[in-house]
Amino acid sequence: MKITFTNTAYVHTRERLVLNKGRWNKRLALQVRVGIIEHPDGVVLIDAGYSPEAISAPGRSPMLRAYSWAFSPELLPDGDPIEALSQMGYTADDVKAIILTHFHVDHISALARFPNARLIACQQTFENVRTRSIWANIHRGIFPEFLPNDMTVRLENVFDKPQVNGPLGLGLVYDIFEDNRILAIRLPGHAEGHFGLCFPQLERPMLYAADVQWVTAALTRGPIGYPGRLVAEDPHAQRESTAKVAGFARAGGDVLLCHTPEMTAYDRKPNT
Ligand SMILES: [Zn+2]
């Protein structure tokens, strides 16, 4: 099983906003990764990334326009998941499932491109999104306009999957396809229902910790201050989740984050 990440966009920010004691004058280009897993049963995506649907498409809601203006993501057409899949010899129809680590806009905006994929996510979060006001959702960085109308029938609750013990001290995890290849682990704090994915069968077990932090250095640098911490749903839980991920790395595991700027061994080089 091979795992490749494609970068759908850059989000430009300053180090101080994402790293404790970071520099205000250091500019960072955060990546917005989508994972492409070549699983024996078919292609599985991790999240859906930023896309023109969120950034430039006509018909977007006024609040979405304001949101994308504020963050000004720089879309990378070559990193678009459909383009990356095509360069790997696949089409959207080959995508059997999409695992949604959480519902923030930069993780779900391209979902409409994959109308046949099973969707694996936190059911409780989906119910919360459906039942609260649009303002309460936007306040949390969630734009329900990106969730497909048939999500209720396509959604599988990740936390209903069988529980097993994860490697390197992770504790209880959820075996998504019941084959010990992709294990979901609760990492609360950044967003409602946020979870990471562990791949125990790689030569060196890897934990994709999604948005537990934005940059790798933050795993060991202590909690960020204001205003960066305002983004977290639950800063205390985020500290505990961060410590768990840092412990996995100390035990010898490989850790990858969605947004960290540096290239990793799992990242696809554009046009290759
Ligand atoms: Zn997020």
Side-chain angles (χ1 to χ4, degrees):
M1 193 177 79
K2 189 162 176 247
I3 306 162
T4 308
F5 284 86
T6 184
N7 181 23
T8 60
Y10 285 120
V11 176
H12 299 277
T13 187
R14 291 176 186 271
E15 189 184 62
R16 182 68 176 218
L17 291 171
V18 294
L19 180 65
N20 186 22
K21 300 191 176 69
R23 292 157 289 181
W24 280 112
N25 62 358
K26 167 87 169 165
R27 292 173 186 273
L28 294 180
L30 300 178
Q31 299 198 35
V32 182
R33 289 178 172 84
V34 168
I36 301 172
I37 305 172
E38 295 171 275
H39 185 275
D41 294 341
V43 176
V44 178
L45 296 189
I46 308 170
D47 295 323
Y50 258 141
S51 65
E53 287 90 333
I55 311 303
S56 55
R60 291 171 301 146
S61 64
M63 283 311 296
L64 181 57
R65 285 171 187 270
Y67 182 93
S68 57
W69 176 82
F71 286 92
S72 307
E74 177 192 343
L75 277 182
L76 301 173
D78 188 64
D80 184 277
I82 299 280
E83 176 62 25
L85 285 164
S86 144
Q87 289 184 21
M88 293 167 70
Y90 300 111
T91 69
D93 288 341
D94 293 315
V95 176
K96 305 297 182 215
I98 305 177
I99 302 170
L100 300 172
T101 60
H102 59 300
F103 288 75
H104 281 164
V105 60
D106 53 328
H107 295 255
I108 66 167
S109 74
L111 277 186
R113 320 260 196 90
F114 307 97
N116 303 317
R118 299 154 59 189
L119 301 172
I120 298 162
C122 172
Q123 176 104 34
Q124 183 60 56
T125 302
F126 175 63
E127 299 301 337
N128 294 347
V129 170
R130 282 209 310 164
T131 51
R132 71 181 161 220
S133 74
I134 182 72
W135 294 107
N137 279 322
I138 290 171
H139 178 69
R140 291 171 164 84
I142 297 171
F143 291 83
E145 62 203 77
F146 293 119
L147 297 175
N149 292 332
D150 60 355
M151 184 138 177
T152 41
V153 291
R154 290 165 61 197
L155 179 64
E156 295 174 25
N157 185 14
V158 65
F159 300 126
D160 279 345
K161 302 292 181 184
Q163 293 190 7
V164 296
N165 246 315
L168 304 180
L170 282 185
L172 278 184
V173 295
Y174 302 84
D175 189 353
I176 292 182
F177 297 113
E178 301 186 41
D179 58 3
N180 199 41
R181 292 178 198 271
I182 308 176
L183 310 174
I185 174 166
R186 290 182 189 268
L187 294 174
H190 169 72
E192 285 177 291
H194 178 263
F195 64 91
L197 296 169
C198 178
F199 303 90
Q201 296 187 19
L202 300 177
E203 198 172 324
R204 184 179 175 202
M206 189 265 273
L207 175 58
Y208 180 68
D211 286 18
V212 74
Q213 291 289 339
W214 285 290
V215 296
T216 304
L219 294 174
T220 51
R221 193 69 89 80
I224 56 173
Y226 293 99
R229 70 176 300 179
L230 291 174
V231 176
E233 177 86 10
D234 178 346
H236 176 73
Q238 186 178 32
R239 277 202 294 281
E240 291 187 345
S241 294
T242 300
K244 182 172 266 195
V245 173
F248 179 85
R250 272 198 312 278
D254 211 2
V255 170
L256 178 60
L257 303 174
C258 177
H259 299 300
T260 199
E262 67 271 13
M263 292 295 282
T264 76
Y266 295 97
D267 289 316
R268 168 181 163 268
K269 314 279 182 299
N271 282 323
T272 57

PDB file of all heavy atoms in Angstrom, residues 25 40-41 53 77 102-103 107 119 125 127 129 172 189 194 200 231 243 254:
ATOM      1  N   ASN A  25       8.337  38.213  11.762  1.00  0.00           N
ATOM      2  CA  ASN A  25       8.829  38.607  10.433  1.00  0.00           C
ATOM      3  C   ASN A  25       9.196  37.415   9.554  1.00  0.00           C
ATOM      4  O   ASN A  25       9.726  37.592   8.463  1.00  0.00           O
ATOM      5  CB  ASN A  25      10.024  39.559  10.557  1.00  0.00           C
ATOM      6  CG  ASN A  25      11.202  38.900  11.262  1.00  0.00           C
ATOM      7  OD1 ASN A  25      11.100  37.738  11.677  1.00  0.00           O
ATOM      8  ND2 ASN A  25      12.298  39.625  11.394  1.00  0.00           N
ATOM      9  N   PRO A  40      -5.374  -1.853  -1.358  1.00  0.00           N
ATOM     10  CA  PRO A  40      -5.694  -3.021  -2.201  1.00  0.00           C
ATOM     11  C   PRO A  40      -7.134  -3.015  -2.733  1.00  0.00           C
ATOM     12  O   PRO A  40      -7.396  -3.561  -3.808  1.00  0.00           O
ATOM     13  CB  PRO A  40      -5.476  -4.204  -1.246  1.00  0.00           C
ATOM     14  CG  PRO A  40      -4.506  -3.720  -0.235  1.00  0.00           C
ATOM     15  CD  PRO A  40      -4.745  -2.241  -0.088  1.00  0.00           C
ATOM     16  N   ASP A  41      -8.071  -2.388  -2.013  1.00  0.00           N
ATOM     17  CA  ASP A  41      -9.470  -2.377  -2.469  1.00  0.00           C
ATOM     18  C   ASP A  41      -9.814  -1.175  -3.344  1.00  0.00           C
ATOM     19  O   ASP A  41     -10.955  -1.021  -3.766  1.00  0.00           O
ATOM     20  CB  ASP A  41     -10.425  -2.385  -1.260  1.00  0.00           C
ATOM     21  CG  ASP A  41     -10.326  -3.689  -0.483  1.00  0.00           C
ATOM     22  OD1 ASP A  41      -9.830  -4.675  -1.052  1.00  0.00           O
ATOM     23  OD2 ASP A  41     -10.715  -3.694   0.700  1.00  0.00           O
ATOM     24  N   GLU A  53     -13.764  25.587  -6.065  1.00  0.00           N
ATOM     25  CA  GLU A  53     -15.118  25.695  -5.517  1.00  0.00           C
ATOM     26  C   GLU A  53     -15.139  26.620  -4.292  1.00  0.00           C
ATOM     27  O   GLU A  53     -16.129  27.305  -4.033  1.00  0.00           O
ATOM     28  CB  GLU A  53     -15.654  24.311  -5.105  1.00  0.00           C
ATOM     29  CG  GLU A  53     -16.031  23.404  -6.268  1.00  0.00           C
ATOM     30  CD  GLU A  53     -14.870  22.541  -6.737  1.00  0.00           C
ATOM     31  OE1 GLU A  53     -13.693  22.940  -6.562  1.00  0.00           O
ATOM     32  OE2 GLU A  53     -15.133  21.458  -7.283  1.00  0.00           O
ATOM     33  N   PRO A  77      -2.998  24.458  -9.278  1.00  0.00           N
ATOM     34  CA  PRO A  77      -3.739  23.576 -10.186  1.00  0.00           C
ATOM     35  C   PRO A  77      -3.062  22.219 -10.363  1.00  0.00           C
ATOM     36  O   PRO A  77      -3.735  21.193 -10.464  1.00  0.00           O
ATOM     37  CB  PRO A  77      -3.763  24.372 -11.501  1.00  0.00           C
ATOM     38  CG  PRO A  77      -3.608  25.800 -11.075  1.00  0.00           C
ATOM     39  CD  PRO A  77      -2.729  25.782  -9.855  1.00  0.00           C
ATOM     40  N   HIS A 102     -11.643  16.135   9.525  1.00  0.00           N
ATOM     41  CA  HIS A 102     -12.550  17.082  10.163  1.00  0.00           C
ATOM     42  C   HIS A 102     -13.212  17.874   9.056  1.00  0.00           C
ATOM     43  O   HIS A 102     -12.959  17.625   7.879  1.00  0.00           O
ATOM     44  CB  HIS A 102     -11.842  17.968  11.189  1.00  0.00           C
ATOM     45  CG  HIS A 102     -10.702  18.798  10.670  1.00  0.00           C
ATOM     46  ND1 HIS A 102      -9.581  18.278  10.084  1.00  0.00           N
ATOM     47  CD2 HIS A 102     -10.518  20.157  10.668  1.00  0.00           C
ATOM     48  CE1 HIS A 102      -8.755  19.248   9.756  1.00  0.00           C
ATOM     49  NE2 HIS A 102      -9.299  20.393  10.085  1.00  0.00           N
ATOM     50  N   PHE A 103     -14.093  18.813   9.428  1.00  0.00           N
ATOM     51  CA  PHE A 103     -14.971  19.434   8.436  1.00  0.00           C
ATOM     52  C   PHE A 103     -14.561  20.858   8.052  1.00  0.00           C
ATOM     53  O   PHE A 103     -15.350  21.571   7.447  1.00  0.00           O
ATOM     54  CB  PHE A 103     -16.415  19.435   8.957  1.00  0.00           C
ATOM     55  CG  PHE A 103     -17.058  18.076   8.965  1.00  0.00           C
ATOM     56  CD1 PHE A 103     -16.724  17.129   9.915  1.00  0.00           C
ATOM     57  CD2 PHE A 103     -17.999  17.729   8.006  1.00  0.00           C
ATOM     58  CE1 PHE A 103     -17.306  15.869   9.929  1.00  0.00           C
ATOM     59  CE2 PHE A 103     -18.596  16.476   8.013  1.00  0.00           C
ATOM     60  CZ  PHE A 103     -18.249  15.549   8.974  1.00  0.00           C
ATOM     61  N   HIS A 107     -10.551  21.199   3.973  1.00  0.00           N
ATOM     62  CA  HIS A 107     -10.482  19.732   3.948  1.00  0.00           C
ATOM     63  C   HIS A 107     -11.645  19.113   3.186  1.00  0.00           C
ATOM     64  O   HIS A 107     -11.622  17.920   2.899  1.00  0.00           O
ATOM     65  CB  HIS A 107     -10.432  19.177   5.383  1.00  0.00           C
ATOM     66  CG  HIS A 107      -9.179  19.575   6.100  1.00  0.00           C
ATOM     67  ND1 HIS A 107      -8.132  18.712   6.328  1.00  0.00           N
ATOM     68  CD2 HIS A 107      -8.783  20.778   6.596  1.00  0.00           C
ATOM     69  CE1 HIS A 107      -7.160  19.355   6.950  1.00  0.00           C
ATOM     70  NE2 HIS A 107      -7.531  20.613   7.121  1.00  0.00           N
ATOM     71  N   LEU A 119     -17.952   8.092   2.353  1.00  0.00           N
ATOM     72  CA  LEU A 119     -17.372   9.164   3.161  1.00  0.00           C
ATOM     73  C   LEU A 119     -17.235   8.656   4.595  1.00  0.00           C
ATOM     74  O   LEU A 119     -18.207   8.190   5.191  1.00  0.00           O
ATOM     75  CB  LEU A 119     -18.266  10.407   3.102  1.00  0.00           C
ATOM     76  CG  LEU A 119     -18.477  10.958   1.679  1.00  0.00           C
ATOM     77  CD1 LEU A 119     -19.518  12.070   1.684  1.00  0.00           C
ATOM     78  CD2 LEU A 119     -17.162  11.464   1.090  1.00  0.00           C
ATOM     79  N   THR A 125     -20.191  14.848  14.586  1.00  0.00           N
ATOM     80  CA  THR A 125     -19.882  16.192  14.074  1.00  0.00           C
ATOM     81  C   THR A 125     -20.808  16.535  12.917  1.00  0.00           C
ATOM     82  O   THR A 125     -21.315  17.662  12.822  1.00  0.00           O
ATOM     83  CB  THR A 125     -18.410  16.266  13.631  1.00  0.00           C
ATOM     84  OG1 THR A 125     -17.587  15.930  14.734  1.00  0.00           O
ATOM     85  CG2 THR A 125     -18.049  17.651  13.144  1.00  0.00           C
ATOM     86  N   GLU A 127     -23.817  15.454  12.441  1.00  0.00           N
ATOM     87  CA  GLU A 127     -25.142  15.766  13.000  1.00  0.00           C
ATOM     88  C   GLU A 127     -25.141  17.177  13.580  1.00  0.00           C
ATOM     89  O   GLU A 127     -26.109  17.928  13.415  1.00  0.00           O
ATOM     90  CB  GLU A 127     -25.532  14.755  14.087  1.00  0.00           C
ATOM     91  CG  GLU A 127     -25.639  13.303  13.615  1.00  0.00           C
ATOM     92  CD  GLU A 127     -26.658  13.096  12.505  1.00  0.00           C
ATOM     93  OE1 GLU A 127     -27.577  13.931  12.376  1.00  0.00           O
ATOM     94  OE2 GLU A 127     -26.509  12.124  11.741  1.00  0.00           O
ATOM     95  N   VAL A 129     -23.293  19.703  12.634  1.00  0.00           N
ATOM     96  CA  VAL A 129     -23.256  20.665  11.519  1.00  0.00           C
ATOM     97  C   VAL A 129     -24.657  20.827  10.929  1.00  0.00           C
ATOM     98  O   VAL A 129     -25.098  21.936  10.609  1.00  0.00           O
ATOM     99  CB  VAL A 129     -22.254  20.193  10.438  1.00  0.00           C
ATOM    100  CG1 VAL A 129     -22.384  21.028   9.163  1.00  0.00           C
ATOM    101  CG2 VAL A 129     -20.825  20.251  10.972  1.00  0.00           C
ATOM    102  N   LEU A 172      -6.044   3.062  22.117  1.00  0.00           N
ATOM    103  CA  LEU A 172      -7.165   2.577  21.294  1.00  0.00           C
ATOM    104  C   LEU A 172      -7.315   3.386  20.007  1.00  0.00           C
ATOM    105  O   LEU A 172      -7.328   4.616  20.037  1.00  0.00           O
ATOM    106  CB  LEU A 172      -8.457   2.654  22.092  1.00  0.00           C
ATOM    107  CG  LEU A 172      -8.717   1.498  23.061  1.00  0.00           C
ATOM    108  CD1 LEU A 172     -10.084   1.673  23.715  1.00  0.00           C
ATOM    109  CD2 LEU A 172      -8.626   0.148  22.355  1.00  0.00           C
ATOM    110  N   GLY A 189      -9.443  18.708  19.863  1.00  0.00           N
ATOM    111  CA  GLY A 189      -8.888  20.013  20.223  1.00  0.00           C
ATOM    112  C   GLY A 189      -8.913  20.999  19.070  1.00  0.00           C
ATOM    113  O   GLY A 189      -9.462  22.078  19.193  1.00  0.00           O
ATOM    114  N   HIS A 194     -12.110  15.872  15.341  1.00  0.00           N
ATOM    115  CA  HIS A 194     -10.838  15.782  14.617  1.00  0.00           C
ATOM    116  C   HIS A 194     -10.098  14.491  14.973  1.00  0.00           C
ATOM    117  O   HIS A 194     -10.008  14.120  16.136  1.00  0.00           O
ATOM    118  CB  HIS A 194      -9.980  16.998  15.007  1.00  0.00           C
ATOM    119  CG  HIS A 194      -8.623  17.052  14.392  1.00  0.00           C
ATOM    120  ND1 HIS A 194      -7.493  16.614  15.037  1.00  0.00           N
ATOM    121  CD2 HIS A 194      -8.199  17.477  13.185  1.00  0.00           C
ATOM    122  CE1 HIS A 194      -6.439  16.796  14.255  1.00  0.00           C
ATOM    123  NE2 HIS A 194      -6.843  17.315  13.127  1.00  0.00           N
ATOM    124  N   PRO A 200       0.264   1.448  10.372  1.00  0.00           N
ATOM    125  CA  PRO A 200       1.209   0.652  11.164  1.00  0.00           C
ATOM    126  C   PRO A 200       2.067  -0.294  10.340  1.00  0.00           C
ATOM    127  O   PRO A 200       3.076  -0.786  10.841  1.00  0.00           O
ATOM    128  CB  PRO A 200       0.282  -0.145  12.106  1.00  0.00           C
ATOM    129  CG  PRO A 200      -1.002  -0.262  11.356  1.00  0.00           C
ATOM    130  CD  PRO A 200      -1.115   0.969  10.518  1.00  0.00           C
ATOM    131  N   VAL A 231      -8.139  29.766  17.118  1.00  0.00           N
ATOM    132  CA  VAL A 231      -8.685  28.875  16.096  1.00  0.00           C
ATOM    133  C   VAL A 231      -9.100  27.536  16.695  1.00  0.00           C
ATOM    134  O   VAL A 231     -10.022  26.887  16.208  1.00  0.00           O
ATOM    135  CB  VAL A 231      -7.634  28.665  14.975  1.00  0.00           C
ATOM    136  CG1 VAL A 231      -8.127  27.667  13.948  1.00  0.00           C
ATOM    137  CG2 VAL A 231      -7.311  30.006  14.319  1.00  0.00           C
ATOM    138  N   ALA A 243       0.622  16.285  22.661  1.00  0.00           N
ATOM    139  CA  ALA A 243       1.562  15.480  23.459  1.00  0.00           C
ATOM    140  C   ALA A 243       1.530  14.020  23.019  1.00  0.00           C
ATOM    141  O   ALA A 243       2.563  13.348  22.965  1.00  0.00           O
ATOM    142  CB  ALA A 243       1.204  15.599  24.938  1.00  0.00           C
ATOM    143  N   ASP A 254       6.974   8.018  12.525  1.00  0.00           N
ATOM    144  CA  ASP A 254       7.084   9.144  11.610  1.00  0.00           C
ATOM    145  C   ASP A 254       5.794   9.956  11.751  1.00  0.00           C
ATOM    146  O   ASP A 254       4.711   9.357  11.802  1.00  0.00           O
ATOM    147  CB  ASP A 254       7.188   8.572  10.191  1.00  0.00           C
ATOM    148  CG  ASP A 254       7.994   9.436   9.277  1.00  0.00           C
ATOM    149  OD1 ASP A 254       8.503  10.467   9.732  1.00  0.00           O
ATOM    150  OD2 ASP A 254       8.113   9.062   8.096  1.00  0.00           O
TER     151      ASP A 254
END
